[in-house]
Amino acid sequence: MTEVKNVTLQKQFEIEKPKFERLRTTVWGILQNKLLEDSIEFLSIQSRVKNATSFQTKCERKEYADPFNDCTDIAAFRVIVFLDREIKKAEHSIRELFQIDEENSIDRLHPERVDSVGYKSLHLICSLGKTREKLPEYNRITGLRFEIQIRTVLQHAWAEIEHKRNYKGEHALPADLQHRLMVTSGALELVDREFSSLADAADLYAEELAAGSESANSDRLSELALIELMSDFLKKANLIERPEIRNLKVKTDDLINELKTFNVNSVGDLRNFISSPDIAEKLITLGKKQSSPYHLPGFYRSAMIISDPKKFFHESVASHPGISLSFYPLSFLEKVSSVLEGTDVVEVCRDAGVGIDTQG
């Protein structure tokens, strides 16, 4: 009789499975768009629909009376964020998107036992909700429940190791190995917290830079300082900041070495350099003449060219050659010349043997 019941359950699952596959595709798209819209940094969004065997095994173990309603993770998602602080942000976004089944959701980030270490994750049981019922694209799937797990990269790594090696449970290993396992788990939790703490401190440092705090003036140059001081300058000058500026991949070391040629060695030096009246005024004028907003290397290299074209092309470029410095657009050099009035930057560039892109 049990075999007949199992065969019937598996056949029924194959009939119902397409609905859950459609649910998986639909939710994945909604979820990804929301996280991107809310500027939540995540490594990946994983998703899956159970297979018939897995579904049957769980139904037998849990003794579900109504399997397709009682099993809340037939379709499941895993949002893997980088930092512990991003979990709450992701949770907030998800609560805005979906209807949450609070009774069946589980918070495994805050264990009840103080000596508990190991697997951590937030499990939210969701549905698309009644507000989507009348929309045709959600037909027959709005009442289906699904699970979303949110965890950090380190929590995910630990969960995968624990699962693959079957280290679950208090007696999974001999006492000495179990103790080492617990110590390792605790260490990972501390590292997770420290990563978030470092990110918070970096954000605070960025705010202090933008506010003009003098406490950072003696600090060495960093990419964070370059970005924040440039952003502050552009904001005050009513110039547009290039949208991708904070994610722009540049050779920061090259840029910092070029600035050192101009005796710009610290945050204070950099602040004074770009805010000096002669350079600042011309940077603003040049920014308004250009067809596209400043990006990070372009902003500081423009400041150096404005300060001293010969020094820049003969010393900075010559001592730090690279692909990004090999060719300068002719149109850009002509605009800098018009800003400097009396200095032919095109000729200076040619004299230094730096390539000029006549198409640019």
Side-chain angles (χ1 to χ4, degrees):
M1 196 69 181
T2 302
E3 290 182 7
V4 174
K5 181 179 178 181
N6 290 342
V7 170
T8 303
L9 186 62
Q10 288 196 18
K11 286 183 177 179
Q12 186 62 32
F13 179 82
E14 295 302 332
I15 294 171
E16 299 291 333
K17 187 176 180 180
K19 285 196 303 185
F20 288 96
E21 289 288 1
R22 187 158 68 90
L23 176 70
R24 183 187 68 82
T25 303
T26 300
V27 170
W28 194 93
I30 295 173
L31 185 55
Q32 183 193 47
N33 288 338
K34 178 63 173 173
L35 295 180
L36 292 173
E37 180 185 315
D38 292 348
S39 300
I40 295 171
E41 296 182 346
F42 59 92
L43 175 67
S44 65
I45 301 174
Q46 300 178 349
S47 65
R48 64 103 180 101
V49 171
K50 281 184 179 294
N51 59 43
T53 302
S54 176
F55 173 69
Q56 177 189 317
T57 300
K58 183 165 186 177
C59 289
E60 290 174 352
R61 188 176 76 253
K62 296 287 187 177
E63 298 181 346
Y64 289 141
D66 184 358
F68 290 96
N69 182 59
D70 295 341
C71 186
T72 58
D73 67 339
I74 296 176
F77 304 82
R78 183 174 293 144
V79 177
I80 303 173
V81 297
F82 290 99
L83 300 172
D84 184 66
R85 66 177 186 174
E86 299 293 328
I87 292 179
K88 279 295 177 186
K89 294 180 183 178
E91 179 188 1
H92 179 74
S93 295
I94 289 168
R95 287 183 177 278
E96 288 184 339
L97 278 180
F98 308 119
Q99 183 173 318
I100 307 299
D101 179 352
E102 301 290 358
E103 184 179 347
N104 288 291
S105 296
I106 303 172
D107 182 355
R108 288 180 174 159
L109 296 172
H110 305 95
E112 295 180 1
R113 287 173 47 188
V114 295
D115 63 341
S116 177
V117 292
Y119 177 80
K120 291 184 181 296
S121 185
L122 178 63
H123 296 221
L124 297 174
I125 305 302
C126 316
S127 65
L128 289 171
K130 293 183 178 180
T131 57
R132 294 185 173 97
E133 279 181 343
K134 296 181 180 179
L135 300 174
E137 61 266 37
Y138 303 121
N139 183 40
R140 298 182 68 232
I141 62 173
T142 54
L144 300 178
R145 287 185 292 178
F146 53 91
E147 180 183 77
I148 300 179
Q149 298 178 7
I150 315 171
R151 60 174 68 153
T152 67
V153 173
L154 288 181
Q155 288 167 354
H156 177 64
W158 176 257
E160 289 297 294
I161 293 171
E162 192 176 53
H163 176 72
K164 294 294 183 184
R165 301 290 298 185
N166 196 26
Y167 288 158
K168 296 180 180 180
E170 187 178 346
H171 303 289
L173 294 168
D176 60 331
L177 296 182
Q178 191 70 31
H179 175 71
R180 287 171 60 184
L181 187 69
M182 292 177 68
V183 170
T184 304
S185 174
L188 280 177
E189 185 174 338
L190 287 174
V191 171
D192 228 347
R193 291 183 182 181
E194 182 61 13
F195 275 136
S196 282
S197 179
L198 282 169
D200 289 339
D203 289 347
L204 181 60
Y205 182 70
E207 291 174 9
E208 291 176 351
L209 288 171
S213 172
E214 295 183 1
S215 63
N217 279 350
S218 61
D219 292 350
R220 69 174 189 173
L221 294 179
S222 64
E223 185 172 302
L224 181 59
L226 293 176
I227 290 173
E228 292 305 325
L229 292 187
M230 186 202 71
S231 296
D232 183 55
F233 181 98
L234 296 179
K235 182 179 179 181
K236 290 177 178 176
N238 291 317
L239 291 173
I240 299 172
E241 179 180 303
R242 194 157 165 170
E244 75 276 18
I245 191 64
R246 294 172 189 279
N247 296 316
L248 191 65
K249 300 302 180 186
V250 298
K251 291 185 177 180
T252 308
D253 289 346
D254 287 347
L255 195 54
I256 288 174
N257 285 331
E258 292 160 31
L259 284 164
K260 287 179 178 178
T261 307
F262 285 78
N263 295 317
V264 177
N265 300 295
S266 67
V267 170
D269 292 340
L270 184 64
R271 200 192 302 275
N272 293 333
F273 182 65
I274 62 175
S275 64
S276 60
D278 195 44
I279 293 178
E281 182 182 338
K282 290 179 173 61
L283 265 176
I284 295 170
T285 303
L286 180 61
K288 291 178 179 177
K289 284 177 176 283
Q290 298 194 85
S291 57
S292 60
Y294 277 122
H295 55 62
L296 191 63
F299 176 79
Y300 288 107
R301 284 170 183 154
S302 294
M304 286 184 275
I305 294 171
I306 289 169
S307 174
D308 190 333
K310 289 184 179 179
K311 178 187 283 287
F312 179 74
F313 287 113
H314 283 269
E315 296 182 31
S316 295
V317 175
S319 60
H320 306 104
I323 294 175
S324 62
L325 299 176
S326 295
F327 293 93
Y328 276 80
L330 177 62
S331 60
F332 167 74
L333 296 174
E334 290 174 339
K335 286 173 184 174
V336 180
S337 294
S338 69
V339 169
L340 291 179
E341 299 177 358
T343 301
D344 190 339
V345 179
V346 178
E347 283 304 312
V348 174
C349 190
R350 285 198 177 110
D351 288 344
V354 178
I356 297 175
D357 180 6
T358 57
Q359 303 299 315

